[in-house]
């Protein structure tokens, strides 16, 4: 497994194995590989685009289209492991145009918790982190928002939030401690929810 920094900035290329290529966000690489291993999904190969695209959602659709064009002829099927991820429905429309399925949900926070459960919560004042985002908090939150240089901007960005919810994919006390520190840095209350892989597992195991 490659490093979180590489998953953030570069992503990973497929191995050229299996019949089905997953075109996924780098933030989901560890979870997808764990699900593959646990369920014997050797027919699935994995291409991860740089996770940092989440900070520039307008770049996600072109990147997915480019990956489809590059790899479509090498696999029997392609499957996109992105939710809407801030594209305003453009990714779903692009997948429909390309004839490719994608995982359901507005974002990974939803499908990790379970889309049906997440929809009932309606948590408009909650800021979410996953395992990956806890590990990469500085790269995805603190530095892009300029809080490393201007910490006084924190209340402007997060003044309308009340709580940080850490959606834990794994039982890792060190990650929980880091997530609590992230909440403290943002001046937010803290809650940990163990979600496991949520809807990601049935979505991947259903791919023939």
């Amino acid at each position: 497994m490659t490093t979180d920094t590489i998953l953030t900035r570069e992503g990973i290329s497929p191995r050229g194995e299996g019949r089905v290529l997953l075109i996924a966000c780098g933030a989901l690489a560890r979870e997808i590989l764990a699900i593959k291993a646990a369920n014997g999904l050797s027919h699935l190969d994995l291409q991860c685009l740089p996770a940092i695209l989440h900070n520039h959602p307008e770049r996600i659709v072109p990147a997915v289209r480019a990956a489809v064009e590059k790899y479509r002829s090498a696999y029997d099927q392609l499957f996109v492991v992105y939710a809407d991820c801030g594209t305003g429905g453009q990714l779903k429309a692009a997948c429909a145009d390309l004839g490719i399925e994608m995982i359901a949900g507005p974002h990974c926070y939803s499908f990790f918790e379970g889309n049906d459960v997440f929809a009932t919560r309606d948590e408009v004042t909650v800021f979410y982190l996953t395992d990956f985002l806890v590990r990469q908090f500085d790269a995805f939150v603190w530095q892009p928002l300029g809080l490393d240089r201007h910490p006084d901007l924190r209340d402007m960005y997060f003044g309308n939030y009340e709580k940080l919810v850490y959606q834990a994919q794994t039982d890792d006390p060190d990650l929980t401690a880091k997530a609590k520190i992230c909440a403290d840095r943002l001046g937010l209350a803290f809650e940990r929810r163990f979600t496991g892989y949520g809807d990601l597992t049935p979505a991947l195991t259903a791919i023939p």
Side-chain angles (χ1 to χ4, degrees), residues 125-129 134 137 161-166 179-180 182-184 186 188-192:
T125 60
V126 167
F127 186 75
Y128 298 94
L129 293 179
V134 170
F137 180 78
Y161 289 95
E162 297 177 355
K163 179 170 59 176
L164 184 151
V165 169
Y166 165 40
K180 178 63 168 63
C182 293
D184 292 343
L186 297 179
L188 301 177
F190 177 72
E191 179 183 344
R192 178 188 183 273

Side-chain angles (χ1 to χ4, degrees), residues 21-53:
L21 179 64
L22 307 176
I23 299 174
C25 172
L28 303 176
R30 295 180 186 277
E31 290 73 21
I32 291 171
L33 292 173
I35 292 169
K36 277 190 58 181
N39 294 276
L41 304 178
S42 60
H43 63 298
L44 303 181
D45 201 357
L46 178 60
Q47 147 87 9
C48 280
L49 300 177
I52 201 65
L53 290 179

Side-chain angles (χ1 to χ4, degrees), residues 1 25 37 41 64 76 81 89 94 113 115 128 143 155-156 158 162 165 185 192 199:
M1 187 62 215
C25 172
L41 304 178
V64 169
D76 294 342
V81 195
E113 189 137 347
N115 286 315
Y128 298 94
Q143 292 168 1
D155 291 344
M156 183 182 76
F158 293 96
E162 297 177 355
V165 169
R185 290 170 72 183
R192 178 188 183 273
D199 290 348

